[in-house]
Amino acid sequence: QVQLVESGGGLVQAGGSLRLSCAASGRIFRIIAMGWYRQAPGKQRELVAGITNGGSTNYSDSVKGRFTISRDNAKNTVYLQMNSLKPEDTAVYYCNARVVVSITNGALDYWGQGTQVTVSS
């Protein structure tokens, strides 16, 4: 089994910054990609940013230029640096990892428990 543990959420004023971390542990043969999603009340979960094992990144249009995703492959950890935060960034942020648990298995998606980010105006 694979566990994802997130940290770094909290309350911040508009214009402020937060840094989220997510560490993967357990039965991991290879992590293909990691990413961050968010879900605001009454809305669907949406992709915020993703990063592959090779370092390729992608961002939603709403966070480009403000958020930066990075990854430490040796620690199986992904980070999300969030700058210039806006009230509309308020949501529960979920870490995702696409993991191959053994050489005979395909990739599966795993999720963290979520961390609340609240941006006050």
Side-chain angles (χ1 to χ4, degrees):
Q1 195 57 279
V2 175
Q3 297 82 38
L4 301 180
V5 179
E6 300 144 338
S7 61
L11 173 65
V12 65
Q13 288 188 332
S17 298
L18 284 173
R19 188 188 192 215
L20 305 183
S21 300
C22 172
S25 62
R27 188 184 177 195
I28 297 171
F29 176 72
R30 183 164 60 97
I31 298 179
I32 296 173
M34 300 185 79
W36 291 94
Y37 288 71
R38 67 187 181 187
Q39 187 166 19
K43 295 188 177 181
Q44 290 189 329
R45 190 174 297 189
E46 62 175 357
L47 173 69
V48 176
I51 185 167
T52 69
N53 195 41
S56 297
T57 60
N58 65 294
Y59 296 91
S60 70
D61 288 342
S62 62
V63 306
K64 279 181 182 176
R66 300 188 297 122
F67 291 9
T68 302
I69 190 170
S70 60
R71 181 171 166 178
D72 185 333
N73 288 339
K75 296 181 179 180
N76 288 334
T77 299
V78 65
Y79 306 95
L80 185 68
Q81 178 65 43
M82 304 185 293
N83 298 329
S84 302
L85 283 160
K86 304 175 181 180
E88 51 263 44
D89 294 318
T90 295
V92 178
Y93 284 69
Y94 295 92
C95 176
N96 168 267
R98 181 154 292 181
V99 179
V100 177
V101 298
S102 75
I103 198 168
T104 58
N105 285 78
L108 294 175
D109 281 325
Y110 294 87
W111 294 89
Q113 78 283 359
T115 185
Q116 177 71 45
V117 171
T118 303
V119 184
S120 62
S121 56

